Amino acid sequence: MTDVKCFHSSDPSAWCPGCGNHALLAALKEALAQLDKKPHEVLVCSGIGQAAKTPHYINTNGFNGLHGRALPPAFGAKVANKDLTVIVNTGDGDSYGEGGNHFIHNMRRNVDITHFVHDNMIYGLTKGQASPTTQKKHTTEVQTEGVTLDPVKPLAMAITMGATFVARGFVGEKNQLIELMKAAITHPGYALLDIFQPCVVFNKVNTFQWYKEQTYTLPEDYDSSNKQQALMKAFEWENGIPLGILYKEDKPTYTDQREVLREGPALVNRKLSPERVAEFFNDFR
Amino acid sequence: MDHNLLIGGAAGQGMDTLSSLFERYLMRQGYQVFVSKDYMSRVRGGHNFIQIRFSDQPLTSHRYSLDLIAAMDETTIREHLPRLNPEGYALCDEKLQEEKGQVLGFPLEASAKEAGNPKTFTTAFLGLLVKWYGLDQESIEGMILEAFQDRSPEANLKAYQLGAGLTETRIDLPQASGKDQILINGNEAIALGAIAAGVTFYSAYPMTPSTSIMNYLASKQSEAGIVVEQAEDEIAAINMAIGANFTGIRAMTGTSGGGFSLMTEALGLAGITETPLVVANVQRPGPATGFPTRTEQSDLSFMLTASHGEIPRMITALRNPRESFYQTARAFNLSEKYQIPVILLSDQYLADYSVTTDVFDYSHITIDRYIDEDSEYDHETPYKRYALTENGISPRLIPGKVADQIVLADSDEHDEAGHITESASIRIQMMKKRMGKMELLKDEIEEPWHWGTDQPEVLLLAWGSVAGPLQEALHLLQKEKDFPEVAALVFGDLWPLPVEKLKKLSASAKSIINIEQNYTGQLAKLLRQETGIFCQHSYLKYDGRQMTPEEIVEALKKEVL
Ligand SMILES: Cc1ncc(C[n+]2csc(CCOP(=O)(O)OP(=O)(O)O)c2C)c(N)n1
Ligand code: SF4
Ligand SMILES: [Mg+2]
């Protein structure tokens, strides 16, 4: 096990005291340490938002890109270096709103990256507008009559899009969260872990207490290979929200399916020379 | 000898097969060939045509006047007969022949039927053409058998022979000297340039006329060791390429104007994160969907400022397929040397015309990465991605490649380590660091091509693919006795703008004329902005069709004489 201190960043945190992100970050460092990862073996990608500041607060490689665009650079990084552990830490708005198209299609790719969504059910950084997961009737400065759109059900979406690891965690269940993170990181293929993360400033509806009361842990004997059942679980909301691995499946990853990636060393470790073009001139003769 | 053949018909009539066999055959016979295509944005029907110009001298352009028309439908005859030379002919099936004179009908459909398959119509047409020109019959028969190996080769060969039997040889072509050449278009040359440069990942979203770069690379994935990914949109395409480049490979993306519009935020991301990036923008007429299959040079102004905020960038317009190969490879080296985005600016005309050229010489190409390796790196002090250095270029490490060192890139304004900052003084340092690269780039840029005299009375200014037609227009102008002393500058590198030759040649010029495929004269605007030099006249074309040498000459005579 790596000393968890290796993952401490010198950058002072700009998150509010009491924010769920602190516990989430601590769990992430712990999970990486327990998996014996070294800082340089990990790349954390993010978009923009409060959650998306994570790459600054953890001592690993980091790519803090554009709002909504956390997944495409993560995908590109994994193509470039299949040996790198690529993790996306970003918000619910970033993942399911601005970046919704990338969310859908990277699940279809089953690229071997881990997607941790800091789901505070609100836009934190821009001060409290509705996010795609904000519940109906929740009023904000913009949604003055309360949200009228149906919230997205990210886990149900993921299951129907063919995601091979679909799970939910809560920062209030720290040990469980660490285990879920480790399972997600070691899962070969795309892994979605939606993590309830209270925003103490802008979401006064879905508070720590609310999550605590609404959530329950899936029983030990829950069969995470049953897709139908997983889909039903993904829709559970009013009468308790399940925590744990809802669905898991082994399918060939993007790397497994692409010959150029599968065979040989990581692309970044290949020697290339201009001569390789010569064999293609005959196409034009 | 300079012969111009037009093959026209509806989409789906097999013109492409006919043309690709015939053009390649001409090259193998030693001729210089220039093939340009005019397609409508539809898969079936409509009116499409291909012009195959061939000569024993190098060609750089299509041209207006036709020597022979191969008409597969009536529209072709109607549309193009006015361009036919008095001594030329339009060849077609006997059913289409209405009047005698220049339109000659042959029993082509009947020949195809006799060969046993009506689809061999185009091969019968090929036979007619080869015989018409008195070309060597034997070598094309092998090509036909190869091209149709899975689609009734015997019937096609028969149709070819029947077609050839329909005419006497009508044109006596001179022998051409057969050098080892290739026949290649602009997009294919970009793809080959990328392969030579060591690209291992190409992410893009289909958009005419850029798609054939992706198609060619996709067809070579295993052999070349390249991963081609069709992204969910252009935003994903460029962000994927940025992530891949950050992680140390050479990745590229390409699109046309509409897709580039979606990419602009990420272009800025490459700028502020100092991630090397090569993007090809193969222009078509805009705005919005515009003219999907046609040509224009109307994105230059857009490329200069694309992305909010200010970033260093380099813009190079490609002027012909040969240059597309070398400039693509060069773009990768410069993007890594300066850690900047480099935009390759092409257009539909250049993307789709094919021309014979000497086989590319890859021995001129080097792959220069400017990356610090583990062995040369100091492991004691933490690496800073944006370390301030004398020239503004920070040492580059690849994440995961150096033990105990981490690499952090950030789209927010950041400090040397890559952490978010709001400090005014760091902002100033970082802006100077990034924008200072524009000064360094000035040592890299290449002056425009200069044709004609050193002390022109008339100075012509152009950029990109107008180079080809303009070069031939200058030859034509030499025959115009009253036309004053003329020179032309054709820009490839456009940003930063090379100004030496422009300043020198404009000094003697009484008249400066910009020649562009756009409405607003975007090159002229740029030159005025950067040098204060005004163009008094302009020839601007924005109908989606590339100007011909003849059109340029006419326009110049009107402006100058
Ligand atoms: C293109 C673009 N649009 C809008 C923004 C403004 N913006 C930044 S973060 C954000 C929403 C963040 O919400 P979420 O992803 O849920 O993250 P949180 O702050 O809640 O962690 C928005 C709208 C931006 N930075 N870029
Ligand atoms: S605004 Fe909310 S999400 Fe952002 S740091 Fe504060 S508590 Fe956390
Ligand atoms: Mg949020």
Side-chain angles (χ1 to χ4, degrees):
Chain A
M1 187 175 137
T2 314
D3 184 354
V4 72
K5 285 203 208 86
C6 294
F7 294 105
H8 292 341
S9 158
S10 57
D11 196 32
S13 171
W15 286 329
C16 309
C19 172
N21 280 325
H22 297 291
L24 197 156
L25 176 67
L28 176 61
K29 290 178 186 171
E30 188 58 38
L32 290 172
Q34 289 184 21
L35 289 174
D36 205 22
K37 297 283 177 197
K38 305 279 178 299
H40 73 276
E41 297 167 351
V42 179
L43 169 66
V44 176
C45 296
S46 69
I48 293 296
Q50 296 286 31
K53 290 175 185 166
T54 305
H56 298 279
Y57 305 149
I58 186 164
N59 187 49
T60 62
N61 296 297
F63 190 88
N64 182 182
L66 298 171
H67 183 44
R69 318 301 167 197
L71 286 169
F75 170 77
K78 191 70 190 182
V79 167
N81 188 351
K82 61 180 176 182
D83 303 331
L84 209 57
T85 298
V86 180
I87 300 173
V88 173
N89 276 82
T90 204
D92 46 324
D94 202 87
S95 298
Y96 308 139
E98 187 98 14
N101 204 23
H102 315 308
F103 175 56
I104 292 172
H105 295 284
N106 281 295
M107 293 192 281
R108 294 176 55 223
R109 289 187 177 99
N110 198 28
V111 52
D112 187 13
I113 62 177
T114 311
H115 188 177
F116 294 143
V117 181
H118 303 215
D119 190 356
N120 54 10
M121 298 166 67
I122 207 77
Y123 279 7
L125 189 66
T126 45
K127 304 198 193 304
Q129 305 81 7
S131 93
T133 51
T134 307
Q135 300 300 292
K136 275 190 126 169
K137 302 206 171 96
H138 188 144
T139 55
T140 76
E141 280 181 18
V142 175
Q143 285 74 26
T144 51
E145 300 174 81
V147 173
T148 57
L149 283 72
D150 278 323
V152 303
K153 299 253 182 262
L155 304 191
M157 258 174 101
I159 293 166
T160 53
M161 289 323 302
T164 52
F165 182 105
V166 182
R168 172 164 276 138
F170 169 41
V171 296
E173 298 289 346
K174 187 162 181 199
N175 290 335
Q176 179 192 50
L177 183 59
I178 293 167
E179 292 309 315
L180 287 173
M181 284 178 161
K182 279 158 58 184
I185 293 168
T186 49
H187 172 73
Y190 172 88
L192 174 71
L193 176 58
D194 183 276
I195 304 166
F196 285 147
Q197 169 252 315
C199 167
V200 294
V201 179
F202 295 112
N203 190 338
K204 304 289 190 193
V205 177
N206 311 100
T207 58
F208 189 93
Q209 203 51 39
W210 185 90
Y211 288 119
K212 192 102 201 145
E213 284 162 10
Q214 293 297 311
T215 55
Y216 75 95
T217 297
L218 287 168
E220 290 266 326
D221 61 355
Y222 173 80
D223 175 10
S224 63
S225 69
N226 183 334
K227 202 165 190 167
Q228 302 282 331
Q229 182 184 258
L231 200 53
M232 310 262 287
K233 286 282 164 205
F235 279 108
E236 282 186 10
W237 195 262
E238 282 82 9
N239 301 316
I241 307 167
L243 300 177
I245 302 172
L246 275 70
Y247 185 66
K248 187 170 150 51
E249 175 191 357
D250 279 333
K251 266 205 304 208
T253 65
Y254 183 82
T255 306
D256 296 336
Q257 295 176 83
R258 302 299 305 263
E259 184 193 335
V260 174
L261 292 175
R262 184 176 61 232
E263 319 285 342
L267 292 184
V268 70
N269 294 325
R270 295 186 193 178
K271 271 268 155 290
L272 295 163
S273 103
E275 272 159 51
R276 73 174 182 159
V277 74
E279 66 177 286
F280 303 112
F281 293 144
N282 272 339
D283 288 350
F284 306 98
R285 278 193 172 105
Chain B
M1 185 274 283
D2 175 357
H3 197 85
N4 200 16
L5 161 71
L6 180 143
I7 304 173
Q13 277 194 314
M15 271 168 21
D16 275 321
T17 322
L18 170 58
S19 167
S20 79
L21 269 170
F22 192 57
E23 66 202 40
R24 207 170 268 224
Y25 170 65
L26 287 168
M27 171 182 61
R28 290 187 190 175
Q29 295 296 304
Y31 294 102
Q32 305 289 320
V33 185
F34 188 103
V35 187
S36 58
K37 303 189 172 170
D38 190 295
Y39 286 113
M40 293 178 73
S41 183
R42 54 197 281 180
V43 177
R44 294 239 152 226
H47 174 61
N48 295 339
F49 59 94
I50 302 174
Q51 298 177 84
I52 304 179
R53 194 177 158 201
F54 56 103
S55 168
D56 47 4
Q57 299 299 316
L59 298 171
T60 65
S61 174
H62 68 314
R63 70 166 154 86
Y64 180 78
S65 62
L66 298 172
D67 301 302
L68 192 70
I69 297 172
M72 303 208 167
D73 63 1
E74 210 250 306
T75 319
T76 304
I77 301 175
R78 202 168 1 96
E79 292 264 316
H80 301 288
L81 214 50
R83 295 169 55 193
L84 192 61
N85 286 330
E87 59 280 14
Y89 288 98
L91 314 183
C92 57
D93 185 72
E94 55 192 350
K95 283 194 205 137
L96 296 181
Q97 180 173 356
E98 286 167 1
E99 68 225 75
K100 292 276 164 201
Q102 283 186 291
V103 182
L104 299 182
F106 296 88
L108 290 162
E109 279 183 23
S111 302
K113 237 181 245 157
E114 192 184 333
N117 183 345
K119 282 194 186 150
T120 61
F121 173 80
T122 42
T123 326
F125 222 137
L126 179 64
L128 179 67
L129 291 175
V130 171
K131 186 68 181 300
W132 183 275
Y133 289 118
L135 291 159
D136 173 43
Q137 307 243 12
E138 225 168 88
S139 48
I140 192 141
E141 293 191 356
M143 289 175 71
I144 290 170
L145 288 175
E146 198 190 317
F148 293 99
Q149 49 181 304
D150 325 312
R151 293 177 285 163
S152 3
E154 293 307 326
N156 275 289
L157 191 61
K158 182 88 195 291
Y160 166 79
Q161 286 158 348
L162 291 169
L166 298 176
T167 179
E168 294 298 306
T169 290
R170 302 288 293 266
I171 289 178
D172 192 19
L173 294 174
Q175 281 287 315
S177 69
K179 284 201 276 183
D180 182 16
Q181 292 214 312
I182 53 175
L183 179 63
I184 192 164
N185 70 33
N187 276 1
E188 291 160 344
I190 291 175
L192 287 190
I195 292 175
V199 165
T200 51
F201 180 50
Y202 187 83
S203 49
Y205 187 82
M207 187 168 188
T208 308
S210 69
T211 314
S212 55
I213 303 174
M214 172 158 65
N215 288 349
Y216 185 77
L217 291 173
S219 73
K220 300 297 160 193
Q221 289 181 95
S222 314
E223 292 108 298
I226 294 184
V227 177
V228 173
E229 181 65 8
Q230 181 176 323
E232 52 272 27
D233 52 38
E234 288 85 351
I235 299 175
I238 188 170
N239 278 285
M240 285 172 177
I242 290 171
N245 283 339
F246 170 71
T247 314
I249 60 169
R250 281 189 162 183
M252 176 177 177
T253 184
T255 184
S256 188
F260 203 99
S261 294
L262 293 182
M263 289 184 176
T264 52
E265 189 188 20
L267 194 76
L269 176 69
I272 193 167
T273 59
E274 306 194 40
T275 309
L277 178 69
V278 177
V279 193
N281 175 6
V282 186
Q283 301 163 96
R284 73 190 211 187
T289 310
F291 250 167
T293 61
R294 311 223 165 256
T295 201
E296 200 159 271
Q297 299 183 298
S298 49
D299 292 351
L300 172 57
S301 302
F302 173 39
M303 293 302 101
L304 290 166
T305 56
S307 161
H308 56 287
E310 295 162 310
I311 56 163
R313 76 188 78 202
M314 178 162 171
I315 303 169
T316 295
L318 306 175
R319 291 170 288 197
N320 61 39
R322 187 169 190 82
E323 185 179 57
S324 301
F325 174 77
Y326 293 108
Q327 293 295 26
T328 300
R330 169 180 175 245
F332 281 94
N333 285 346
L334 292 177
S335 74
E336 290 207 286
K337 184 170 181 185
Y338 297 102
Q339 303 172 17
I340 51 162
V342 178
I343 299 167
L344 297 172
L345 205 44
S346 180
D347 57 43
Q348 181 270 331
Y349 177 68
L350 171 54
D352 290 339
Y353 83 69
S354 301
V355 66
T356 41
T357 180
D358 289 347
V359 178
F360 301 143
D361 181 1
Y362 55 84
S363 70
H364 293 328
I365 293 177
T366 53
I367 299 179
D368 306 325
R369 302 297 311 270
Y370 310 94
I371 290 171
D372 282 359
E373 298 290 335
D374 193 302
S375 52
E376 45 187 316
Y377 201 75
D378 159 23
H379 289 255
E380 306 303 304
T381 32
Y383 170 71
K384 290 184 179 155
R385 177 66 196 90
Y386 304 108
L388 294 167
T389 61
E390 206 150 306
N391 69 0
I393 314 289
S394 312
R396 183 158 167 240
L397 284 196
I398 299 306
K401 295 275 282 176
V402 180
D404 307 324
Q405 292 291 359
I406 60 133
V407 186
L408 177 64
D410 188 10
S411 74
D412 297 81
E413 189 56 274
H414 41 250
D415 61 18
E416 289 184 84
H419 290 305
I420 301 173
T421 182
E422 308 233 359
S423 149
S425 63
I426 297 179
R427 164 72 175 177
I428 291 167
Q429 284 175 324
M430 287 295 162
M431 281 301 286
K432 282 187 174 161
K433 161 184 171 35
R434 290 191 295 266
M435 298 310 291
K437 296 177 190 179
M438 293 309 298
E439 263 323 294
L440 304 178
L441 276 170
K442 288 187 179 159
D443 290 336
E444 302 279 358
I445 51 171
E446 294 164 2
E447 287 288 323
W449 286 344
H450 171 201
W451 297 323
T453 117
D454 283 335
Q455 297 232 317
E457 249 181 78
V458 175
L459 176 60
L460 309 176
L461 301 173
W463 61 282
S465 72
V466 169
L470 181 57
Q471 191 173 5
E472 294 205 14
L474 287 175
H475 290 309
L476 295 176
L477 275 180
Q478 285 170 353
K479 294 180 204 143
E480 303 284 335
K481 294 267 151 16
D482 320 327
F483 204 86
E485 286 281 286
V486 60
L489 290 179
V490 183
F491 288 80
D493 285 352
L494 282 162
W495 193 255
L497 185 72
V499 295
E500 291 313 312
K501 279 203 175 144
L502 174 67
K503 284 186 176 158
K504 218 150 114 213
L505 293 187
S506 60
S508 67
K510 293 203 190 78
S511 177
I512 304 178
I513 307 176
N514 59 311
I515 303 175
E516 305 182 55
Q517 292 270 158
N518 58 48
Y519 186 92
T520 50
Q522 301 187 5
L523 175 68
K525 267 198 278 187
L526 173 63
L527 301 181
R528 197 156 70 228
Q529 167 191 314
E530 294 300 304
T531 64
I533 294 170
F534 274 81
C535 296
Q536 291 86 0
H537 304 279
S538 59
Y539 175 52
L540 301 171
K541 193 167 193 277
Y542 42 86
D543 61 359
R545 277 80 176 161
Q546 188 82 355
M547 53 185 78
T548 61
E550 292 101 317
E551 277 178 274
I552 297 175
V553 169
E554 282 314 304
L556 290 176
K557 285 193 335 206
K558 232 183 266 163
E559 294 292 343
V560 175
L561 296 181

